[in-house]
Amino acid sequence: MVTMLEARLQTQQRNTQNSQETGLWSSGFGMKLEAVTPFLGKYRPFVGRCCQTCTPKSWESLFHRSIMDLGFCNVILVKEENTRFRGWLVRRLCYFLWSLEQHIPPCQDAPQKIMESTGVQSVISGRAPGGAGEGQVPGLVKKEVQRILGHIQAPLHPFLLRLFSWALLRFLNCVFLNVQLHKGQMKMVHKATQAGLPLVLLSTHKSLLDGILLPFVLLSQGLGVLRVVWDPRTCSPTLRALLKKLGGLFLPPEANLTLDSSEGVLARAVVHAALVPLGLWTGALAVLRSLWSWGRSPRVCVRVHLAQPFSLQEYTTNARSCWGSRQTLEQLLQPIVLGQCNVVPDTEKEQEWTPATGPLLALKEEDQLLVRRLSRHVLNASVTSSAVMSTAIMAALLLFKHQKGVFLSQLLGEFSWLTEETLLRGFDVGFSGQLRCLVQHTLSLLRAHVVLLRVHQGDLLVVPRPGPGLTRLARLSAELLPVFLSEAVGACAVRGLLAGRVPPEGPWELQGIELLSQNELYRQILLLLHLLPQDLLLLQPCQSSYCYCQEVLDRLIQCGLLVAEETPGSRAACDTGRQRLSAKLLWKPSGDFTDSDSDDFEEAEGRFFRLSQQSRCPDFFLFLCRLLSPLLQAFAQAATFLHQGQLPDTESGYTEQLLQFLQATAQEEGFFECADPNLAISAVWTFRDLGVLQQTPSPAGPMLYLSPTFTSRENQEKLEQFIRQFICS
């Protein structure tokens, strides 16, 4: 009875809230409804193409020419036409008949293939450390291989697979309005499978349901049963046995043992063999107990994005030729931070944050580097192929432009403007419809973090709620950062260049007087690029930093923030008629050109720029700078925390200390955007790479302690000042 009364009270409160929101929106001004479309002109922008430098053949051959003409399909919409039968009974049993017609290819020879693989045979014959040649009997080793293989997988059960597909199809239709899949992206995946080679798909795990949703989507498109890697620590033995019958894979515990363990060597060999003849898809763990909460929530739409496939063999062949000299972050930035030198070394940054698991450490150093850089390529493709949602655009507008509040009439125009800017930069958006309805729906999704106030003229005032809710808005707005990342890096670099010349609170006209040389801009951009984490920048490992510097500068010019300043008697910057290659650049690879192929370093020294004086530039400049402010503020406060932290401590322990400091500072200063656990982790890792924190082994695990160089308050303040020069208050 109490539960029924509580449910009735909650329903009444929800109805009252909905009626109040409807009343607020219905009192709006009489403006013409504008439609927001997810494309500019006729075509939707294509995203997620593979690297043209490392995989040029795949870039050309695995691209569907008519991809932008193709639309979306709803993979959970199964009708009579999706089966081979017709009739009124078929229309009622179409889900069941569809599941019976799914092709499930047999994989009976997989255990024999794994047993005959090179790695397993090397361990059995004793050619590898920990093999049979070190005291083990080959027959016992073969039994151990079979035991490990039985822990990893089991034969597929076709009846259970079809029954599970039918039940999942009904469940997805109850939870989602539709599950959209781009037909052109699916065409490219089908084209990649025509060669008969194994297909490996990597997921970015944006949802708890990825582990069951994505295999179902790809099974429905005729790709067969995909093997999904699950975490065995969160599954009971009964559930693990069921998932194996449905194509699940579970890595054995021995795979993460130390390299000198004989059990670890054997387990890693079997896992490596299972990953190479079979062709697996690495997915996220779907937390089954969360399905009930999904079922009770309102029905939503889901879109599955697939980036362009590429040949792994082609990548391994071409990627090794792109490796150049690299230095650690400590070697690159620490002398500049401490004022010991002013010249940025002409080399790339070596920063690898890939988890050092047992299977990765078992590889050669060259292969480890190949895997780490492959992960950066995959991460770049997955992020760029993901659609930007309306909540990210709204959160960025409220947090970085209108934290004190904005009228709805102005917010409608800026929402449309930012959507158009996103499409202009080649990114896709995951929404469409009438502008006013979109903004209403987006604000309803963010209602826990915003306040709507009615004003006397019939307009609405939208105000972000002060407090910890700003952390959530910052996390949502981070999805928009890859769209404007180049411009944001350039704006913060310009801010750092002007920090020592013009007061930050000075008028825009005063800042526009200053001349900015191209070499100075290059230097500031490079410093910021080295400081920012690589998983944020999403730089492809085959792209040089100097090439990216020119891209940043080009973006600032294209968006109108920088204007070239022509000096008297010099050739105009756009005059390329009489320019030619200099001897200094003739020997350089194509990726090392800092400008177009007709530019020279000496000519760049004489180029100058000014900030544009257009009326829209100040607001846009501040918006771009503030996109990076949560991360940079977290770094600056981490520098302030150095003399307060309790060291030595474990990495997780010191990260927790820093997070508590960020949260306490946010309560005092009101800057909740940087009080995020992910930003605290990023700050600790960056300071470790910079040489501010050093790591030593101990019985309790690796311990962090403060570097002797940064025990003095003077050097700590230098580090904080170096970071704060890029922050626009």
Side-chain angles (χ1 to χ4, degrees):
M1 177 65 70
V2 175
T3 305
M4 292 176 62
L5 290 176
E6 289 178 352
R8 182 176 300 176
L9 179 60
Q10 292 176 359
T11 303
Q12 293 175 354
Q13 292 175 348
R14 191 180 302 112
N15 293 337
T16 304
Q17 181 182 3
N18 292 338
S19 63
Q20 290 176 352
E21 290 182 358
T22 304
L24 283 174
W25 284 94
S26 61
S27 62
F29 42 89
M31 63 175 295
K32 182 180 179 180
L33 294 180
E34 179 185 352
V36 176
T37 57
F39 48 84
L40 289 175
K42 184 179 178 181
Y43 301 107
R44 177 187 296 270
F46 176 71
V47 292
R49 295 209 67 172
C50 62
C51 179
Q52 190 175 10
T53 302
C54 298
T55 53
K57 294 182 180 178
S58 301
W59 189 87
E60 178 66 25
S61 61
L62 297 180
F63 178 70
H64 195 269
R65 295 299 176 187
S66 303
I67 185 171
M68 291 183 288
D69 296 334
L70 301 177
F72 289 87
C73 64
N74 182 10
V75 296
I76 63 174
L77 180 62
V78 176
K79 299 181 179 179
E80 177 186 4
E81 293 78 11
N82 300 108
T83 67
R84 295 179 298 169
F85 309 99
R86 298 294 181 267
W88 66 270
L89 184 60
V90 174
R91 288 191 289 272
R92 286 155 179 79
L93 300 176
C94 57
Y95 286 5
F96 180 73
L97 294 175
W98 173 86
S99 62
L100 291 179
E101 294 180 353
Q102 298 305 307
H103 175 62
I104 301 177
C107 194
Q108 300 176 354
D109 58 342
Q112 185 63 28
K113 289 182 179 179
I114 293 174
M115 187 68 70
E116 296 175 355
S117 65
T118 305
V120 174
Q121 288 297 320
S122 298
V123 176
I124 293 177
S125 60
R127 291 194 297 268
E134 299 184 6
Q136 298 188 38
V137 181
L140 296 178
V141 177
K142 292 181 179 179
K143 293 182 180 179
E144 182 66 13
V145 170
Q146 295 175 353
R147 184 194 67 82
I148 295 174
L149 186 59
H151 184 93
I152 296 175
Q153 65 176 2
L156 296 177
H157 200 292
F159 174 76
L160 284 179
L161 277 170
R162 292 188 170 93
L163 181 63
F164 182 75
S165 299
W166 169 79
L168 187 59
L169 180 61
R170 297 194 64 88
F171 170 76
L172 293 177
N173 274 279
C174 295
V175 175
F176 302 121
L177 288 174
N178 56 64
V179 178
Q180 297 180 350
L181 182 66
H182 196 283
K183 296 179 181 178
Q185 295 176 351
M186 200 64 236
K187 288 280 187 181
M188 293 189 302
V189 177
H190 277 292
K191 195 172 184 179
T193 60
Q194 293 176 359
L197 298 176
L199 185 65
V200 181
L201 296 102
L202 304 176
S203 171
T204 53
H205 315 330
K206 289 184 175 290
S207 168
L208 294 174
L209 293 180
D210 284 357
I212 58 176
L213 176 61
L214 297 182
F216 169 80
V217 170
L218 297 173
L219 174 65
S220 66
Q221 300 301 308
L223 289 178
V225 180
L226 292 111
R227 297 286 191 167
V228 184
V229 179
W230 295 73
D231 188 354
R233 296 171 296 181
T234 55
C235 296
S236 64
T238 304
L239 180 60
R240 196 158 53 234
L242 176 62
L243 292 176
K244 286 181 184 178
K245 296 291 185 180
L246 298 175
L249 293 167
F250 296 88
L251 297 182
E254 302 93 332
N256 286 321
L257 294 178
T258 57
L259 295 179
D260 55 355
S261 170
S262 60
E263 295 179 352
V265 171
L266 184 59
R268 283 189 292 271
V270 177
V271 170
H272 180 268
L275 291 175
V276 179
L278 294 176
L280 307 181
W281 172 81
T282 305
L285 172 67
V287 183
L288 298 180
R289 61 176 176 267
S290 66
L291 297 182
W292 174 245
S293 61
W294 275 81
R296 292 182 299 171
S297 61
R299 298 175 70 193
V300 295
C301 301
V302 175
R303 183 188 298 181
V304 178
H305 302 277
L306 296 173
Q308 182 183 5
F310 63 90
S311 169
L312 187 59
Q313 181 180 8
E314 181 187 11
Y315 173 78
T316 55
T317 303
N318 297 332
R320 300 179 193 273
S321 61
C322 300
W323 297 352
S325 60
R326 292 176 179 263
Q327 292 183 358
T328 63
L329 184 61
E330 180 178 357
Q331 296 170 329
L332 288 172
L333 274 192
Q334 191 178 107
I336 299 176
V337 170
L338 300 177
Q340 299 173 355
C341 99
N342 295 321
V343 180
V344 184
D346 185 9
T347 184
E348 300 297 319
K349 176 178 67 173
E350 186 65 43
Q351 184 184 53
E352 304 297 348
W353 288 359
T354 307
T357 58
L360 181 61
L361 293 176
L363 301 176
K364 298 179 181 178
E365 183 177 357
E366 185 179 8
D367 294 333
Q368 290 183 28
L369 188 60
L370 185 68
V371 171
R372 289 190 173 106
R373 296 184 179 179
L374 174 63
S375 65
R376 286 169 54 190
H377 271 290
V378 173
L379 181 62
N380 177 281
S382 62
V383 171
T384 55
S385 62
S386 300
V388 177
M389 305 308 294
S390 61
T391 51
I393 294 178
M394 183 63 69
L397 288 173
L398 295 177
L399 190 63
F400 301 129
K401 291 199 68 171
H402 305 293
Q403 198 162 345
K404 295 183 179 180
V406 58
F407 288 109
L408 179 62
S409 55
Q410 181 181 356
L411 188 60
L412 290 172
E414 294 194 353
F415 185 89
S416 178
W417 160 77
L418 198 53
T419 302
E420 184 178 352
E421 290 291 332
T422 301
L423 293 170
L424 281 171
R425 285 160 176 80
F427 281 78
D428 197 7
V429 295
F431 55 89
S432 62
Q434 297 295 336
L435 176 60
R436 190 177 181 84
C437 296
L438 276 174
V439 173
Q440 177 184 4
H441 176 68
T442 305
L443 290 176
S444 67
L445 295 176
L446 301 176
R447 58 180 172 269
H449 313 298
V450 298
V451 179
L452 299 180
L453 302 174
R454 184 187 299 175
V455 294
H456 65 281
Q457 296 179 352
D459 204 347
L460 292 178
L461 182 65
V462 183
V463 184
R465 294 182 185 270
L470 296 178
T471 305
R472 173 60 178 167
L473 292 180
R475 199 171 298 161
L476 289 172
S477 64
E479 298 178 8
L480 193 67
L481 183 57
V483 180
F484 297 93
L485 185 58
S486 298
E487 293 92 330
V489 169
C492 291
V494 172
R495 176 63 259 165
L497 195 56
L498 294 174
R501 306 182 187 180
V502 182
E505 64 276 3
W508 181 261
E509 293 78 9
L510 183 60
Q511 300 184 29
I513 298 176
E514 294 293 325
L515 283 177
L516 309 174
S517 71
Q518 183 164 325
N519 282 349
E520 291 175 330
L521 288 170
Y522 275 168
R523 181 181 182 275
Q524 287 297 119
I525 295 172
L526 275 177
L527 291 178
L528 186 55
L529 286 180
H530 292 329
L531 177 65
L532 295 176
Q534 287 184 345
D535 60 345
L536 172 75
L537 293 171
L538 297 176
L539 287 179
Q540 294 182 342
C542 57
Q543 183 181 14
S544 68
S545 297
Y546 281 94
C547 183
Y548 188 74
C549 285
Q550 185 59 44
E551 179 183 336
V552 169
L553 191 58
D554 291 342
R555 288 291 186 91
L556 292 179
I557 297 173
Q558 290 171 4
C559 67
L561 286 178
L562 283 185
V563 179
E565 179 71 14
E566 305 293 350
T567 57
S570 64
R571 185 172 69 248
C574 59
D575 183 11
T576 60
R578 293 179 295 172
Q579 296 182 11
R580 57 187 177 84
L581 283 174
S582 67
K584 184 176 180 179
L585 294 181
L586 287 176
W587 60 272
K588 282 184 172 287
S590 60
D592 290 342
F593 285 100
T594 59
D595 203 338
S596 64
D597 55 6
S598 58
D599 286 328
D600 199 354
F601 290 110
E602 288 79 4
E603 294 181 357
E605 295 177 359
R607 292 182 184 170
F608 293 88
F609 301 89
R610 294 183 190 271
L611 287 175
S612 175
Q613 297 300 309
Q614 298 181 17
S615 59
R616 67 177 185 85
C617 288
D619 289 339
F620 189 44
F621 182 82
L622 291 176
F623 173 75
L624 293 175
C625 289
R626 288 170 181 167
L627 284 175
L628 284 173
S629 60
L631 178 65
L632 294 176
Q633 284 281 6
F635 283 10
Q637 294 188 22
T640 307
F641 180 67
L642 288 175
H643 70 280
Q644 302 180 24
Q646 301 297 323
L647 289 172
D649 197 356
T650 61
E651 183 179 296
S652 59
Y654 187 73
T655 303
E656 183 62 29
Q657 290 186 49
L658 177 58
L659 178 60
Q660 294 177 1
F661 175 77
L662 294 177
Q663 293 172 344
T665 306
Q667 293 290 344
E668 297 174 0
E669 302 179 359
F671 196 84
F672 289 90
E673 293 91 316
C674 64
D676 188 281
N678 294 329
L679 298 182
I681 294 174
S682 183
V684 171
W685 288 0
T686 300
F687 280 18
R688 183 190 60 193
D689 294 343
L690 188 55
V692 179
L693 300 173
Q694 295 184 353
Q695 186 171 284
T696 56
S698 71
M703 302 291 291
L704 293 178
Y705 67 94
L706 193 59
S707 168
T709 307
F710 288 91
T711 52
S712 65
R713 288 295 300 273
E714 180 183 0
N715 288 342
Q716 294 176 8
E717 291 175 356
K718 288 181 179 179
L719 174 62
E720 184 177 357
Q721 292 173 2
F722 174 80
I723 297 172
R724 289 196 179 278
Q725 67 174 326
F726 301 108
I727 301 176
C728 191
S729 58

